[in-house]
Amino acid sequence: MRPTVGFISLGCPKNLVDTERMMGLLSKDGIILTGDQTRADIVVINTCGFLEPAKQESLGTIGEFVALKKKKKLRGVVVTGCMTERYLGLMKEHYPEVDAFLQTKDFSKITDVVNEISLGETAKLVARRNLVGEEDQLQGHSEITDFVERAGGRRSYAYVKIAEGCNRTCSFCIIPKLRGKLHSRSIEGIVDEIRQLVAQGTQEIIFIAQDLTSYGRDLANGTSLLELVKSVEKVDGLKWYRLMYNYPRFFSDELIDLLGSSEKFSGYVDIPFQHISDSVLKAMRRPESKADIYGLMRKLREKIPHLSLRTTVMVGFPGETEDDFQQLLDFIEEAQFDHLGAFTFWREEGTPSYDLPNQVSEEDKKDRYHRLMTLQKKIQKSRLKRHIGSVIPVIIDGFSEKTKQGFVYQGRHLGQAPDIDGVTYVVTDNEVQIGQILQVEVGKIIGDYDLLGAETHSYSRMDERRLQRAASQI
Ligand code: SF4
């Protein structure tokens, strides 16, 4: 009997895309997939090895499923993702019960691996285990296939990975060692994938890569983010797209102008600036200066109407002084980011920053993180307040996960990306499909990040009692 396979995708959306691709390959082969791992015969764990907490989560998950296998509640465990790039030898030693370790460059072999496990061909499995990822050192050459069908039917949004790897050398980051040099896909392959997703009902595309703005620079044939965006603009049926993980370089004037005049671009740009102090940026080995960053922000705000800006910053990098940190706070106050993620610096083995002098104490890191997030919460609230009383388009992702009863839908407006930003709850009397875009009059702020409103067609004016009821359920 064919096995039922469950997936666990840890880490970032870039991993999720690989997971969906593996799911797509298995589905094509007639293998049944389940979202309920307790019903799976084989579980595939796509690990994340970015920072220590992610590593621990990955190891904990492997341990959990290996224990189930030992109790014979599971026929097989497959491990893939960043951890197999980084710690293959160690993991083989610690988890001999794992049936196969699949390196990211080999993810297209998932069907063979699953079929062999289900046949219980032990001898072959041993061979497979050696065949799949036999080198124990860092590989640094993950590949990105041009087009592999993705699993899943109608959905409101999908991530599309346009390149793998990174040519940058940020001193805190292990990713280039794990994922190798930049390797861009062709524009044709990406557009084909988007067409397939749109044909399945996907309305919104989120472009991802380790360094989105460098897209195409390795191909030396004129491929660039600008050319890609021009082609994507022509895809019929696609409603919105977002640009995530942009390095603050190579935002050409032409690209900014095109984004500013586009009807499909959501206005959402994510640029992880990491810091603003010149000395910290230099120690991070990021070539942009404070002046470059302010200049880019000005240009984006000037040219892109309804810009929603997200950034990520790091506090407590070695050598960061109180003055550097104050510069960061001033920058955040001035920039008024719609969304901001913050990390405290983590000494990551194998990165140049591991051995840097003047490490900041854990106490100072925590204190700075807390001060920064307190400021951002205040900014976030005032950014959310702008929406109260306005009518904005909201894409519906499904029913609200929080309300058990009552038809409260959950969606996102143009300035909200899935998984990382807040959501917009919507009350309506109409039946709504996943991916439908509704015009919503916003009535309330819920918690620190979310909004609540009503579909304008179903209410001639805001029904306060109905909103109150919905708010109390959320
Ligand atoms: S650009 Fe991003 S992925 Fe590349 S080295 Fe810097 S932080 Fe890491």
Side-chain angles (χ1 to χ4, degrees):
M1 205 173 79
R2 305 299 304 274
T4 301
V5 178
F7 275 80
I8 295 176
S9 196
L10 301 170
C12 65
K14 287 158 260 183
N15 249 18
L16 183 63
V17 171
D18 290 346
T19 299
E20 286 178 1
R21 289 174 158 193
M22 285 187 276
M23 289 165 81
L25 288 167
L26 293 179
S27 288
K28 218 171 176 182
D29 201 56
I31 289 169
I32 296 165
L33 301 174
T34 174
D36 177 2
Q37 281 85 32
T38 59
R39 296 176 56 197
D41 301 307
I42 297 169
V43 167
V44 182
I45 305 165
N46 196 1
T47 58
C48 171
F50 182 43
L51 288 174
E52 192 57 30
K55 278 188 252 169
Q56 292 308 328
E57 187 188 16
S58 293
L59 293 175
T61 309
I62 298 169
E64 197 184 309
F65 284 96
V66 159
L68 287 179
K69 191 185 167 195
K70 281 186 189 159
K71 287 184 195 156
K72 306 219 177 303
K73 291 189 176 162
L74 204 60
R75 270 157 68 191
V77 179
V78 179
V79 175
T80 183
C82 289
M83 291 291 281
T84 59
E85 303 297 319
R86 207 168 171 193
Y87 301 111
L88 185 61
L90 271 178
M91 289 205 299
K92 274 183 175 178
E93 218 174 274
H94 271 76
Y95 299 113
E97 302 83 359
V98 169
D99 298 86
F101 290 100
L102 194 63
Q103 289 192 271
T104 47
K105 69 184 166 62
D106 291 325
F107 82 78
S108 56
K109 292 175 185 160
I110 187 69
T111 316
D112 294 348
V113 169
V114 162
N115 283 330
E116 285 180 20
I117 295 172
S118 74
L119 290 172
E121 293 176 7
T122 318
K124 255 180 146 185
L125 283 180
V126 173
R128 167 66 56 192
R129 201 153 56 218
N130 291 334
L131 177 79
V132 180
E134 54 199 2
E135 291 165 55
D136 289 357
Q137 314 100 353
L138 294 177
Q139 295 292 304
H141 61 267
S142 288
E143 292 197 3
I144 184 158
T145 29
D146 221 27
F147 178 54
V148 175
E149 241 170 72
R150 305 262 295 269
R154 186 182 172 88
R155 50 177 141 189
S156 47
Y157 67 90
Y159 294 102
V160 170
K161 184 150 58 166
I162 64 173
E164 182 61 274
C166 181
N167 286 353
R168 311 232 161 253
T169 52
C170 302
S171 62
F172 53 84
C173 183
I174 194 77
I175 296 287
K177 275 192 177 170
L178 298 183
R179 297 285 174 152
K181 292 272 178 208
L182 178 73
H183 184 158
S184 303
R185 295 172 61 191
S186 71
I187 291 182
E188 296 72 37
I190 297 168
V191 171
D192 274 357
E193 181 174 354
I194 295 172
R195 287 217 169 92
Q196 184 221 343
L197 288 163
V198 170
Q200 288 172 349
T202 306
Q203 309 284 304
E204 173 184 326
I205 293 298
I206 301 157
F207 291 107
I208 55 172
Q210 260 82 33
D211 168 7
L212 206 85
T213 38
S214 288
Y215 167 72
R217 296 181 73 80
D218 54 315
L219 299 177
N221 61 359
T223 301
S224 65
L225 188 57
L226 172 68
E227 294 308 316
L228 174 64
V229 165
K230 280 184 188 167
S231 300
V232 169
E233 288 280 330
K234 293 182 199 142
V235 175
D236 287 336
L238 173 66
K239 295 286 185 338
W240 295 352
Y241 64 89
R242 297 174 198 277
L243 304 178
M244 303 294 290
Y245 310 113
N246 297 276
Y247 195 85
R249 265 216 159 173
F250 308 131
F251 268 105
S252 65
D253 289 348
E254 213 183 338
L255 175 63
I256 296 175
D257 284 341
L258 177 61
L259 295 175
S261 60
S262 161
E263 294 203 345
K264 291 188 197 295
F265 178 55
S266 60
Y268 189 102
V269 189
D270 162 54
I271 313 175
F273 287 118
Q274 305 297 354
H275 216 284
I276 195 66
S277 149
D278 281 335
S279 62
V280 177
L281 286 168
K282 197 166 168 214
M284 285 178 164
R285 299 192 185 168
R286 294 180 61 97
E288 291 66 43
S289 66
K290 182 177 188 169
D292 295 334
I293 292 175
Y294 271 98
L296 174 61
M297 297 264 306
R298 256 195 312 277
K299 229 187 248 178
L300 292 171
R301 287 227 188 275
E302 210 176 280
K303 301 272 176 141
I304 303 178
H306 313 301
L307 179 75
S308 289
L309 210 46
R310 180 182 179 87
T311 195
T312 307
V313 294
M314 186 183 287
V315 296
F317 191 80
E320 183 193 60
T321 61
E322 186 54 34
D323 175 61
D324 294 321
F325 178 64
Q326 193 53 53
Q327 290 184 47
L328 186 59
L329 287 183
D330 294 345
F331 171 57
I332 288 166
E333 178 88 62
E334 206 172 318
Q336 297 280 302
F337 290 104
D338 297 273
H339 310 280
L340 179 141
F343 291 96
T344 53
F345 169 74
W346 187 278
R347 282 183 79 189
E348 187 63 26
E349 248 181 327
T351 63
S353 62
Y354 186 84
D355 289 323
L356 280 179
N358 304 320
Q359 297 280 335
V360 176
S361 72
E362 288 306 314
E363 206 185 332
D364 282 346
K365 280 186 206 169
K366 271 192 205 141
D367 174 62
R368 289 175 191 175
Y369 176 84
H370 178 72
R371 282 154 64 198
L372 188 142
M373 289 315 284
T374 307
L375 169 65
Q376 179 58 23
K377 259 190 189 166
K378 208 177 77 198
I379 294 170
Q380 185 100 29
K381 205 103 204 183
S382 79
R383 302 294 290 168
L384 284 175
K385 270 190 193 149
R386 292 173 308 152
H387 295 298
I388 302 290
S390 60
V391 175
I392 52 175
V394 173
I395 192 164
I396 298 300
D397 291 327
F399 280 121
S400 155
E401 288 152 13
K402 289 186 185 161
T403 50
K404 296 275 176 271
Q405 38 174 316
F407 284 0
V408 179
Y409 288 91
Q410 184 173 312
R412 293 166 293 106
H413 64 70
L414 287 159
Q416 290 172 323
D419 306 323
I420 44 173
D421 301 332
V423 298
T424 302
Y425 298 103
V426 181
V427 288
T428 174
D429 285 335
N430 300 324
E431 204 170 292
V432 179
Q433 278 201 327
I434 286 181
Q436 210 172 317
I437 296 175
L438 306 180
Q439 292 301 319
V440 173
E441 185 178 351
V442 180
K444 288 191 182 312
I445 296 172
I446 304 284
D448 289 328
Y449 303 103
D450 304 329
L451 295 170
L452 168 66
E455 190 192 7
T456 48
H457 297 303
S458 50
Y459 295 93
S460 51
R461 58 181 188 79
M462 197 70 94
D463 182 336
E464 184 59 26
R465 265 188 320 148
R466 181 83 184 267
L467 282 188
Q468 281 294 2
R469 212 165 48 238
S472 70
Q473 286 180 26
I474 293 165

